[in-house]
């Protein structure tokens, strides 16, 4: 004979788990829809990734809206390029941003992708990275993008105070966007105030 007390406890546990799932899903959807489309005129940090092609990364974190703004800079003439955000330092499972460049000019094409294995990247189901602006001047291409720190998307990397490895690929004759050949890696703390002060 079944234990009524045990049945009640199991029922309550299932109800709590289901309620928590609903609240989390709703919260993620609300935050995903509330990303402000505000251009950033001043970035808090700058990191030169690859001086050979002028590849640099600037960023700013907005704690009120829980968003991060990135500006990627690269010399024109280096073709399409991509950045990968990962904790392991390789492509599999990484959050990849693909930038399409045409005739040395930044185009409005920014794709949110992720690493399917150690060389292959595919389109993310949810396009969480949004382009804010793009410009070309003095032989430099600059593209500014934005997304939530936590998109609640399993194919995106949650940006928190832990160390993140930034990897990149570029090239006129490269096989991007389907294949990602890591040309370099840089260790970055995007939000850790113990390392990077916002002052």
């Amino acid at each position: 004979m079944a234990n009524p007390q045990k049945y009640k406890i199991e029922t309550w546990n299932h109800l709590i788990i289901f309620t928590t799932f609903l609240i989390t899903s709703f919260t993620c959807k609300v935050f995903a829809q509330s990303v402000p489309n505000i251009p950033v005129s001043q970035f808090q940090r700058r990191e030169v990734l690859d001086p050979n092609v002028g590849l640099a990364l600037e960023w700013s974190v907005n704690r009120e809206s829980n968003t991060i703004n990135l500006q990627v800079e690269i010399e024109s003439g280096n073709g399409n390029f991509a950045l990968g955000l990962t904790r392991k330092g390789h492509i599999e499972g990484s959050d990849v941003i693909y930038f399409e460049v045409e005739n040395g000019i930044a185009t409005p094409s920014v794709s949110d992708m992720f690493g399917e294995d150690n060389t292959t990247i595919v389109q993310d189901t949810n396009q969480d990275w949004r382009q804010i602006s793009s410009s070309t001047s003095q032989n430099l291409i600059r593209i500014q993008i934005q997304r939530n720190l936590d998109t609640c998307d399993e194919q995106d990397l949650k940006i928190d105070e832990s160390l993140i490895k930034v990897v990149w690929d570029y090239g006129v004759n490269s096989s991007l966007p389907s294949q990602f050949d890591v040309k370099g890696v840089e260790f970055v703390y995007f939000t850790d105030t113990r390392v990077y002060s916002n002052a």
Side-chain angles (χ1 to χ4, degrees):
M1 182 176 178
N3 187 337
Q5 186 67 23
K6 181 181 178 182
Y7 176 77
K8 287 181 180 179
I9 292 174
E10 290 179 352
T11 302
W12 274 108
N13 286 340
H14 290 149
L15 183 60
I16 291 171
I17 292 171
F18 180 69
T19 304
T20 304
F21 170 77
L22 287 179
I23 292 173
T24 303
S25 300
F26 176 75
T27 304
C28 290
K29 288 180 180 178
V30 169
F31 274 112
Q33 294 172 357
S34 62
V35 179
N37 189 5
I38 303 174
V40 175
S41 58
Q42 185 176 2
F43 294 93
Q44 297 161 343
R45 300 299 304 176
R46 177 181 173 87
E47 191 78 39
V48 176
L49 302 179
D50 193 335
N52 295 321
V53 293
L55 180 61
L57 183 64
E58 293 180 286
W59 67 90
S60 180
V61 173
N62 188 323
R63 293 292 186 178
E64 293 183 2
S65 60
N66 288 313
T67 56
I68 184 168
N69 297 271
L70 300 181
Q71 179 165 276
V72 186
E73 181 179 285
I74 192 172
E75 294 174 358
S76 60
N78 288 294
N80 301 331
F81 58 99
L83 292 180
L85 307 180
T86 173
R87 302 207 191 279
K88 299 179 181 179
H90 53 69
I91 293 303
E92 185 175 4
S94 64
D95 185 358
V96 179
I97 316 151
Y98 170 68
F99 303 86
E100 185 176 349
V101 178
E102 186 175 344
N103 298 323
I105 300 175
T107 67
S109 179
V110 174
S111 299
D112 188 348
M113 308 185 78
F114 74 100
E116 189 174 50
D117 54 40
N118 263 344
T119 59
T120 308
I121 56 177
V122 295
Q123 194 88 0
D124 194 331
T125 305
N126 300 310
Q127 294 295 296
D128 294 300
W129 284 106
R130 297 191 304 150
Q131 180 169 322
I132 303 300
S133 65
S134 63
S135 63
T136 305
S137 64
Q138 298 178 342
N139 199 37
L140 287 176
I141 294 172
R142 296 182 181 90
I143 302 177
Q144 189 181 139
I145 57 176
Q146 180 187 78
R147 81 156 167 84
N148 285 318
L149 294 172
D150 183 5
T151 63
C152 300
D153 183 350
E154 293 182 355
Q155 295 174 340
D156 289 339
L157 182 71
K158 180 180 179 180
I159 299 175
D160 53 24
E161 294 185 355
S162 59
L163 180 68
I164 293 176
K165 298 174 184 177
V166 180
V167 295
W168 58 89
D169 187 15
Y170 56 84
V172 176
N173 298 319
S174 69
S175 54
L176 284 169
S178 59
Q179 300 294 309
F180 194 117
D181 179 24
V182 176
K183 288 185 168 60
V185 58
E186 186 70 35
F187 299 83
V188 174
Y189 286 97
F190 281 105
T191 65
D192 193 341
T193 55
R194 295 170 296 179
V195 179
Y196 293 147
S197 170
N198 290 342

